[in-house]
Amino acid sequence: DTHYRPDGFDVGRSLAIVQGTDTSRLNHSHEQQFHFARQSLMLWQNIINDMFRLWSLAEQDLLSPDAPYALKNTGQGIQRVQPSPRTYKAMQHILRDTQSEVGAWVGSSMIH
């Protein structure tokens, strides 16, 4: 918020994305891209602040006999794929908190 504002920008400092420019497939105004970048940084800040708990939950999910891995073709070859219900639930909570913090959400909120 120090160097950029959602409601305006200095010449040459627009965050706007224009479809077809530099292979971009999106159109986002400066304001929309500002909010997208801000929410992404806030989400990562909240994830980092909870990293130890997420790590612990991921370990529990990996070692759980209730959620064994399976070999699946993911489109990038055969991979080990395993459910992670504890980690997923924690990420849903972090995402909801971040969405409440920022108000309006730009783009997808899919956890994967």
Side-chain angles (χ1 to χ4, degrees):
D1 294 354
T2 303
H3 300 289
Y4 286 93
R5 301 179 315 278
D7 57 351
F9 51 89
D10 297 332
V11 175
R13 296 189 65 172
S14 173
L15 299 174
I17 298 173
V18 179
Q19 183 177 6
T21 304
D22 295 326
T23 69
S24 175
R25 295 182 291 153
L26 302 172
N27 271 326
H28 282 188
S29 67
H30 170 83
E31 181 179 6
Q32 189 176 20
Q33 188 62 16
F34 172 88
H35 289 298
F36 177 77
R38 184 171 180 269
Q39 81 186 20
S40 297
L41 291 171
M42 291 176 77
L43 177 60
W44 276 108
Q45 180 181 18
N46 292 340
I47 290 169
I48 289 167
N49 287 341
D50 210 8
M51 188 57 72
F52 182 77
R53 184 174 73 98
L54 290 169
W55 169 76
S56 177
L57 293 170
E59 287 289 312
Q60 291 173 44
D61 285 336
L62 282 170
L63 299 173
S64 173
D66 299 328
Y69 74 84
L71 295 174
K72 302 222 178 183
N73 187 344
T74 63
Q76 297 178 337
I78 304 294
Q79 305 291 328
R80 285 175 51 159
V81 179
Q82 181 175 5
S84 54
R86 294 170 187 88
T87 308
Y88 183 76
K89 185 176 179 183
M91 284 300 301
Q92 284 181 312
H93 184 76
I94 292 169
L95 177 61
R96 273 195 309 272
D97 287 351
T98 305
Q99 287 173 323
S100 295
E101 207 176 329
V102 299
W105 193 258
V106 178
S108 175
S109 56
M110 178 63 64
I111 298 170
H112 57 88

